[in-house]
Amino acid sequence: MSSIGKVVISLIEKHSHNEVIDIMEMATSMGISVSNVEMEATTDVATMRQGEDDTRPKIELNTTNTLEQNYTLVALLLADCLIAPKKLQREGFKYEIFFLKDLRQFRLSRTFLLATRLAIPEQIINQIDTFGFNIDAYIGKTNYLPSFVNNMIKNSNANFIVINNLLGGMSIEHLYKGKG
């Protein structure tokens, strides 16, 4: 497994608490700042780009977003930057409200698969189709959109994603430096 793969697995383990993963804490530990801003376009809900002075990634979330939208968007943006680091360096990433309206159509994308692995512990993912698992009760424990949690796919864990080279060739130097 690559060094970035080991870092991703360790981030997941480090930020897992009582059947949930704190994605905001994970972003901070990766040296990524997260802030709420008023966005010019009313349909924009999140952007991620590298800073101009400090080249670490910065996530901006629309002030009109709900808590669940923010947590879901941060998970998706972290996955994006791990999968396509060159795009982060060039133009960055942007999400509009329309994307969040129908997450189901993206559930098999690399970004969605990795985002759910970053946000939901593997032991929960492995229980999703077992008799007696109450997904609604689990959703109540999290800060993610129900459509995000309901569309996670079993049998595709973070190790699978990393081992099968779905992550980009991201420089991981900023992951070790933390905030700056």
Side-chain angles (χ1 to χ4, degrees):
M1 183 183 317
S2 69
S3 58
I4 186 66
K6 291 176 185 172
V7 169
V8 170
I9 300 302
S10 94
L11 283 168
I12 292 168
E13 291 170 357
K14 178 181 176 183
H15 299 288
S16 295
H17 310 288
N18 299 325
E19 297 184 333
V20 295
I21 296 174
D22 188 335
I23 203 73
M24 297 297 188
E25 187 181 287
M26 183 185 293
T28 301
S29 77
M30 292 171 68
I32 298 171
S33 67
V34 179
S35 59
N36 292 300
V37 299
E38 240 178 83
M39 298 199 166
E40 290 180 30
T42 58
T43 57
D44 291 349
V45 289
T47 61
M48 181 179 201
R49 64 179 72 88
Q50 280 189 322
E52 293 175 19
D53 299 327
D54 178 2
T55 59
R56 294 182 198 171
K58 298 180 184 331
I59 295 174
E60 293 181 339
L61 302 166
N62 195 327
T63 55
T64 62
N65 294 353
T66 65
L67 177 72
E68 292 81 9
Q69 287 172 329
N70 284 341
Y71 271 67
T72 301
L73 288 162
V74 169
L76 291 163
L77 288 165
L78 291 182
D80 279 333
C81 85
L82 290 168
I83 292 169
K86 299 289 186 206
K87 182 176 179 185
L88 174 66
Q89 293 170 349
R90 290 189 310 268
E91 72 261 20
F93 303 96
K94 179 172 80 168
Y95 281 102
E96 295 179 338
I97 193 68
F98 309 111
F99 178 82
L100 292 178
K101 295 288 185 200
D102 190 18
L103 288 176
R104 182 167 180 74
Q105 72 181 5
F106 302 104
R107 71 186 279 189
L108 296 176
S109 71
R110 295 185 310 169
T111 297
F112 195 90
L113 288 171
L114 182 56
T116 55
R117 270 46 196 184
L118 293 173
I120 302 166
E122 217 43 53
Q123 73 266 17
I124 297 298
I125 292 170
N126 290 331
Q127 294 177 47
I128 62 172
D129 62 357
T130 60
F131 184 75
F133 180 71
N134 186 341
I135 193 145
D136 293 324
Y138 180 73
I139 289 169
K141 291 181 182 181
T142 74
N143 289 323
Y144 301 102
L145 290 171
S147 58
F148 179 74
V149 177
N150 278 323
N151 285 300
M152 64 183 154
I153 304 288
K154 192 175 174 180
N155 298 328
S156 182
N157 66 26
N159 285 322
F160 174 84
I161 292 168
V162 172
I163 290 167
N164 287 291
N165 203 24
L166 297 179
L167 296 176
M170 178 182 185
S171 165
I172 60 171
E173 183 179 331
H174 76 279
L175 297 180
Y176 295 111
K177 289 183 179 177
K179 290 176 98 170

